[in-house]
Amino acid sequence: QVQLQQSGPGLVKPSQTLSLTCAISGDSVSNNRAAWNWIRQSPSRGLEWLTRTYYRSNWYNDYAVSVKSRVTINVDTSKNQFSLQLNSVTPEDTAVYYCARQIATAGTYYLDYWGQGTLVTVSS
Amino acid sequence: SALTQPASVSGSPGQPITISCTGTSSDVGGYKYVSWYQQHPGKAPELIIYDVSHRPSGVPDRFSGSQSGNTASLTISGLQAEDEADYYCSSFTTNWVFGGGTKLTVL
């Protein structure tokens, strides 16, 4: 059974950096049939995909246009986890942040396991 | 949101309901990668349908999905009280796009 355990602060000051980590159990971050995503949810924006990382002989990252200039996704294979950094946050970045596993093989794509969610509030 | 869903639907126990999800030929209509997620308050979304009409193991067979053109649909054939939740559709193209969500009320 795959489990994704999120960690990170729930309060970030404006202009600072939001940092979250997603620890994986029951799978490997290097699984070449999976991709590892960050998605956020807020009342104003609904569910919004942010970024993804995946391994296909090399590591690849994709980013949503809306946050591309501010977002970084990293992998720590030794700890089997991946992380999100979002720079220069504003109150509009207040949301529940989720990590999620994506099955990504030819002919099928879906998000089958999600982390528990982390409410991140941007406020001074 | 990129995909359009009704804000709310309701039904009585045992009745069927359908939730629509309308996109464009660039997402829903162009790919067979529509999935549906159920979300109870305070919980993470859970996958209930993938690739338009496939059910993951453990999802009751009263949940079904279909697609016609740019519109996908989720049908619950016989509502149960525990089905009261928010439902989201999504489409994978090169990235994920989501619907705005539909609140299902079981009367």
Side-chain angles (χ1 to χ4, degrees):
Chain A
Q1 178 78 347
V2 175
Q3 291 187 330
L4 304 179
Q5 181 66 41
Q6 298 177 217
S7 59
L11 181 63
V12 182
K13 289 183 168 52
S15 80
Q16 294 192 343
T17 297
L18 178 161
S19 296
L20 296 172
T21 298
C22 184
I24 304 163
S25 58
D27 196 358
S28 168
V29 71
S30 303
N31 181 350
N32 63 9
R33 298 180 62 203
W36 305 94
N37 294 258
W38 286 100
I39 294 161
R40 67 183 178 183
Q41 184 176 30
S42 65
S44 59
R45 303 168 78 101
L47 285 165
E48 181 184 14
W49 175 81
L50 299 176
T51 182
R52 168 177 60 239
T53 189
Y54 55 99
Y55 182 75
R56 302 290 185 270
S57 301
N58 287 302
W59 285 100
Y60 297 91
N61 301 327
D62 297 315
Y63 304 98
V65 170
S66 61
V67 295
K68 187 173 184 177
S69 63
R70 299 193 292 132
V71 72
T72 304
I73 187 169
N74 290 310
V75 171
D76 186 337
T77 56
S78 68
K79 295 182 178 179
N80 202 31
Q81 64 187 32
F82 62 107
S83 62
L84 170 74
Q85 289 191 314
L86 184 64
N87 302 325
S88 305
V89 297
T90 71
E92 286 209 347
D93 294 311
T94 294
V96 177
Y97 287 74
Y98 293 101
C99 59
R101 186 181 84 162
Q102 171 186 338
I103 291 298
T105 63
T108 187
Y109 298 90
Y110 51 89
L111 298 160
D112 61 346
Y113 289 99
W114 296 62
Q116 80 275 22
T118 302
L119 172 60
V120 178
T121 301
V122 179
S123 175
S124 54
Chain B
S1 299
L3 307 179
T4 300
Q5 298 180 233
S8 62
V9 298
S10 62
S12 299
Q15 285 187 333
I17 63 97
T18 297
I19 299 172
S20 62
C21 170
T22 301
T24 69
S25 59
S26 297
D27 39 60
V28 172
Y31 300 84
K32 293 296 185 183
Y33 304 135
V34 174
S35 46
W36 289 89
Y37 303 85
Q38 178 190 63
Q39 186 178 34
H40 287 105
K43 300 294 188 181
E46 292 187 10
L47 177 70
I48 56 173
I49 295 288
Y50 68 94
D51 293 351
V52 176
S53 59
H54 294 80
R55 269 191 319 277
S57 61
V59 174
D61 61 6
R62 64 179 183 275
F63 292 93
S64 64
S66 62
Q67 179 180 333
S68 178
N70 297 336
T71 298
S73 298
L74 172 70
T75 297
I76 307 176
S77 60
L79 276 179
Q80 298 189 8
E82 61 262 35
D83 298 335
E84 185 161 295
D86 294 328
Y87 292 83
Y88 295 89
C89 63
S90 70
S91 177
F92 181 75
T93 57
T94 54
N95 299 319
W96 290 100
V97 291
F98 294 94
T102 298
K103 181 175 181 58
L104 170 60
T105 301
V106 180
L107 302 171

